[in-house]
Amino acid sequence: MTSQPTLKTAGDGPGEPRDSGAPGGSADGPGGDGSGLQAGLKNRHLSMIAIGGVIGAGLFVGSSTGIATAGPGILLSYALVGTLVVLVMRMLGEMSAANPTSGSFSAHADRALGPWAGFTIGWLYWFFWVVVLAVEATAGAAILEGWIPAVPQWGWALIVMVVLTATNLASVGSYGEFEFWFAGIKVVAIGAFIVIGGLAVFGALPGADTDQAGLANLTGHGGFLPNGAGAILTGILLVVFSFMGSEIATLAAGESEDPQRAVTKATNSIIWRIGVFYLGSIFVVVCLLPWDSKSIADDGSYVAALDSLGIAHAGQIMNFIVLTSVLSCLNSGLYTASRMAFSLGRRGDAPRAFARTTRRGVPQTAIIASVVFGFVAVFFNYKFPDSVFLFLVNSSGAVALFVWLVICFSQLRMRKIIQAEAPEKLVVRMWLYPYLTWASAALIVFVLGYMLTDTEHDGRTTILLSLLVAAIVLVISLVKQRLAARRAGERDEVPAG
């Protein structure tokens, strides 16, 4: 494989990485017994993972709340968040193309800002995805139980988790193949929706009921911003988390045949992916139906849009697409959590067992540990949905913004490190560095601050609980770092025998 080596291999302070978890080398450390991650993902796998990574179930399920809040102006909310994601992905692409690694932004933060940053953001990201496993498993089980009620919902959740765990344990190629088809179905479905809906908007779809459709829906029913310009900011809070997952391609790239090419391609294509799949599909929805249509709130935006055209079984069609998105998210969530745990293990920030790999290059212990916590979260969802599980969901809710902020600050430092050590590796460059990086960081801080004022949609609760968990993880990191320094000092004081 053509994995790029780390720029340096020694040290653990800012600018001097510990083991970054770069694939291709041995996973052997203390207690290690594997041969490291292997290049099992093909270029077609990476291409579809990059495309599908930005299409989460949240787009299909959560967009109705945003439309009800901001009206057609939700397009501006999606455009603003989409622009931010493009910029952040460009920064991440710059760092990952220079040094592809299974730890992605966590390993870059470890290198650029210090071990405390890599430890904290790595564990927060892992925590986010194991909670997502429970959310998505429950959502998928609810759909499957509706189709086959003989199996209870908890049974379906168990079946789904077991099947996808087995897939991830088999080989990285198995994960890639499943994700290729899951993502492919999502891409085809949303592409068909845009084409069919677009034809209906302009009255060119034969046999469809298009009485309610038209560009007039963008300005009718109270105007483009019926609830005022402030609703755009509230809309941002509602849609920002549906973009989480765009960074998965940079984690997966490390296990591809050509990591640098994969990262570059994924980074360069993020603009059209967000433009088509998010802005394109939401534009069609708000043109097909008035934004205040009761059916959007009752049935969901995409189901309501299909129903308005008189398409038979629209609800079941959308349930199939949502189920595919749920399975895709579960598959990628388990993969992502395990690779982050693997990277943390390689850097000594998690049990060394997490860094062990099988002969097929699969971090078995990291996968099983992630699944176990996912199962525990599923149990909490069924047993304590309004207390323990609600806390888990809210306390992981702002992790996306924390990750993006860390990427900004890491890139500011890493650009200087790469330029000094290996400028030829700057094959992807952040635009207008450092001005757009600082502007992106400022926007993220603004959104975090605005969340503190949002009591209607639990924004304040989410940010406060997320900050609490982040503070706990940071304290653990600092204590661990201090204890390690003390042990190192004690070893240095022992006289040579």
Side-chain angles (χ1 to χ4, degrees), residues 90-231:
R90 188 75 183 181
M91 300 175 215
L92 182 55
E94 177 181 294
M95 295 184 289
S96 295
N99 182 28
T101 167
S102 60
S104 189
F105 51 84
S106 173
H108 301 321
D110 187 292
R111 174 84 194 277
L113 306 176
W116 64 270
F119 179 100
T120 303
I121 204 63
W123 276 113
L124 286 176
Y125 191 69
W126 179 88
F127 173 57
F128 170 85
W129 280 110
V130 295
V131 173
V132 166
L133 291 180
V135 173
E136 301 295 343
T138 305
I143 294 174
L144 289 167
E145 186 190 28
W147 291 344
I148 309 177
V151 179
Q153 193 176 116
W154 66 265
W156 279 119
L158 179 63
I159 291 170
V160 166
M161 290 278 279
V162 168
V163 169
L164 293 180
T165 300
T167 299
N168 274 266
L169 285 172
S171 68
V172 67
S174 298
Y175 154 73
E177 199 63 33
F178 266 71
E179 190 58 24
F180 176 82
W181 291 106
F182 285 152
I185 291 172
K186 287 191 294 183
V187 169
V188 170
I190 203 165
F193 174 83
I194 293 172
V195 171
I196 293 171
L199 290 173
V201 169
F202 295 102
L205 187 66
D209 181 6
T210 58
D211 291 343
Q212 299 182 80
L215 297 176
N217 284 327
L218 293 174
T219 53
H221 304 270
F224 187 70
L225 295 171
N227 296 324

Side-chain angles (χ1 to χ4, degrees), residues 382-399:
Y382 286 115
K383 192 70 175 177
F384 311 107
D386 299 322
S387 53
V388 179
F389 189 70
L390 187 61
F391 169 80
L392 291 177
V393 172
N394 284 332
S395 60
S396 65
V399 167

Side-chain angles (χ1 to χ4, degrees), residues 67 95 138 248 297 337 365 370:
I67 292 172
M95 295 184 289
T138 305
I248 291 176
T365 305
S370 301

Side-chain angles (χ1 to χ4, degrees), residues 340-367:
M340 186 57 72
F342 168 84
S343 178
L344 288 166
R346 284 288 296 269
R347 287 178 272 145
D349 289 337
R352 283 290 185 181
F354 284 9
R356 294 173 182 166
T357 58
T358 65
R359 293 182 182 275
R360 292 174 176 262
V362 174
Q364 181 174 284
T365 305
I367 291 174

